[in-house]
mmCIF file of all heavy atoms in Angstrom:
data_model
loop_
_atom_site.group_PDB
_atom_site.id
_atom_site.type_symbol
_atom_site.label_atom_id
_atom_site.label_comp_id
_atom_site.label_asym_id
_atom_site.label_seq_id
_atom_site.Cartn_x
_atom_site.Cartn_y
_atom_site.Cartn_z
ATOM 1 N N ASP A 345 -53.065 56.865 -155.250
ATOM 2 C CA ASP A 345 -52.875 57.266 -156.645
ATOM 3 C C ASP A 345 -53.669 58.554 -156.824
ATOM 4 O O ASP A 345 -54.897 58.536 -156.870
ATOM 5 C CB ASP A 345 -53.385 56.171 -157.588
ATOM 6 C CG ASP A 345 -53.092 56.485 -159.056
ATOM 7 O OD1 ASP A 345 -52.948 57.680 -159.388
ATOM 8 O OD2 ASP A 345 -53.049 55.542 -159.870
ATOM 9 N N ARG A 346 -52.969 59.695 -156.895
ATOM 10 C CA ARG A 346 -53.653 60.981 -156.925
ATOM 11 C C ARG A 346 -54.551 61.160 -158.137
ATOM 12 O O ARG A 346 -55.488 61.970 -158.110
ATOM 13 C CB ARG A 346 -52.622 62.123 -156.842
ATOM 14 C CG ARG A 346 -51.947 62.191 -155.468
ATOM 15 C CD ARG A 346 -50.783 63.177 -155.448
ATOM 16 N NE ARG A 346 -50.183 63.250 -154.112
ATOM 17 C CZ ARG A 346 -49.329 62.378 -153.644
ATOM 18 N NH1 ARG A 346 -48.955 61.336 -154.401
ATOM 19 N NH2 ARG A 346 -48.829 62.495 -152.427
ATOM 20 N N SER A 347 -54.306 60.402 -159.183
ATOM 21 C CA SER A 347 -55.157 60.499 -160.378
ATOM 22 C C SER A 347 -56.549 59.944 -160.126
ATOM 23 O O SER A 347 -57.482 60.197 -160.889
ATOM 24 C CB SER A 347 -54.506 59.763 -161.558
ATOM 25 O OG SER A 347 -54.482 58.360 -161.318
ATOM 26 N N PHE A 348 -56.736 59.179 -159.015
ATOM 27 C CA PHE A 348 -58.045 58.624 -158.672
ATOM 28 C C PHE A 348 -58.932 59.654 -157.974
ATOM 29 O O PHE A 348 -60.118 59.431 -157.796
ATOM 30 C CB PHE A 348 -57.879 57.392 -157.763
ATOM 31 C CG PHE A 348 -57.506 56.137 -158.501
ATOM 32 C CD1 PHE A 348 -56.413 56.098 -159.336
ATOM 33 C CD2 PHE A 348 -58.266 54.983 -158.360
ATOM 34 C CE1 PHE A 348 -56.071 54.936 -160.013
ATOM 35 C CE2 PHE A 348 -57.931 53.805 -159.031
ATOM 36 C CZ PHE A 348 -56.821 53.797 -159.862
ATOM 37 N N GLY A 349 -58.339 60.762 -157.528
ATOM 38 C CA GLY A 349 -59.166 61.832 -156.969
ATOM 39 C C GLY A 349 -58.828 62.242 -155.550
ATOM 40 O O GLY A 349 -59.191 63.330 -155.118
ATOM 41 N N GLN A 350 -58.171 61.382 -154.786
ATOM 42 C CA GLN A 350 -57.832 61.727 -153.408
ATOM 43 C C GLN A 350 -56.334 62.028 -153.295
ATOM 44 O O GLN A 350 -55.564 61.790 -154.221
ATOM 45 C CB GLN A 350 -58.251 60.610 -152.456
ATOM 46 C CG GLN A 350 -59.759 60.374 -152.435
ATOM 47 C CD GLN A 350 -60.184 59.338 -151.418
ATOM 48 O OE1 GLN A 350 -59.522 59.128 -150.405
ATOM 49 N NE2 GLN A 350 -61.310 58.684 -151.678
ATOM 50 N N GLY A 351 -55.949 62.573 -152.119
ATOM 51 C CA GLY A 351 -54.565 62.992 -151.975
ATOM 52 C C GLY A 351 -54.075 62.908 -150.556
ATOM 53 O O GLY A 351 -54.562 62.105 -149.745
ATOM 54 N N ASP A 352 -53.116 63.785 -150.211
ATOM 55 C CA ASP A 352 -52.452 63.739 -148.908
ATOM 56 C C ASP A 352 -53.428 63.953 -147.754
ATOM 57 O O ASP A 352 -53.294 63.328 -146.698
ATOM 58 C CB ASP A 352 -51.352 64.802 -148.850
ATOM 59 C CG ASP A 352 -50.172 64.464 -149.754
ATOM 60 O OD1 ASP A 352 -50.310 63.550 -150.595
ATOM 61 O OD2 ASP A 352 -49.116 65.110 -149.622
ATOM 62 N N SER A 353 -54.388 64.869 -147.922
ATOM 63 C CA SER A 353 -55.308 65.163 -146.816
ATOM 64 C C SER A 353 -56.133 63.932 -146.446
ATOM 65 O O SER A 353 -56.345 63.646 -145.262
ATOM 66 C CB SER A 353 -56.231 66.333 -147.162
ATOM 67 O OG SER A 353 -57.084 66.002 -148.245
ATOM 68 N N GLU A 354 -56.585 63.177 -147.436
ATOM 69 C CA GLU A 354 -57.350 61.960 -147.166
ATOM 70 C C GLU A 354 -56.472 60.883 -146.515
ATOM 71 O O GLU A 354 -56.919 60.122 -145.652
ATOM 72 C CB GLU A 354 -57.967 61.403 -148.454
ATOM 73 C CG GLU A 354 -59.128 62.210 -149.000
ATOM 74 C CD GLU A 354 -58.708 63.425 -149.800
ATOM 75 O OE1 GLU A 354 -57.502 63.542 -150.114
ATOM 76 O OE2 GLU A 354 -59.570 64.267 -150.118
ATOM 77 N N PHE A 355 -55.210 60.845 -146.930
ATOM 78 C CA PHE A 355 -54.254 59.897 -146.356
ATOM 79 C C PHE A 355 -54.090 60.134 -144.854
ATOM 80 O O PHE A 355 -54.244 59.224 -144.038
ATOM 81 C CB PHE A 355 -52.910 60.056 -147.091
ATOM 82 C CG PHE A 355 -51.765 59.302 -146.479
ATOM 83 C CD1 PHE A 355 -51.660 57.927 -146.628
ATOM 84 C CD2 PHE A 355 -50.778 59.971 -145.759
ATOM 85 C CE1 PHE A 355 -50.586 57.224 -146.075
ATOM 86 C CE2 PHE A 355 -49.706 59.286 -145.209
ATOM 87 C CZ PHE A 355 -49.617 57.909 -145.373
ATOM 88 N N TRP A 356 -53.789 61.390 -144.471
ATOM 89 C CA TRP A 356 -53.572 61.689 -143.062
ATOM 90 C C TRP A 356 -54.868 61.619 -142.257
ATOM 91 O O TRP A 356 -54.861 61.236 -141.089
ATOM 92 C CB TRP A 356 -52.916 63.063 -142.909
ATOM 93 C CG TRP A 356 -51.491 63.060 -143.379
ATOM 94 C CD1 TRP A 356 -50.974 63.695 -144.455
ATOM 95 C CD2 TRP A 356 -50.407 62.338 -142.781
ATOM 96 N NE1 TRP A 356 -49.630 63.427 -144.582
ATOM 97 C CE2 TRP A 356 -49.253 62.599 -143.562
ATOM 98 C CE3 TRP A 356 -50.289 61.510 -141.666
ATOM 99 C CZ2 TRP A 356 -48.011 62.059 -143.263
ATOM 100 C CZ3 TRP A 356 -49.050 60.979 -141.367
ATOM 101 C CH2 TRP A 356 -47.922 61.244 -142.151
#
Side-chain angles (χ1 to χ4, degrees):
D345 185 335
R346 291 171 178 81
S347 68
F348 281 54
Q350 297 184 27
D352 290 13
S353 65
E354 288 81 11
F355 171 75
W356 290 112

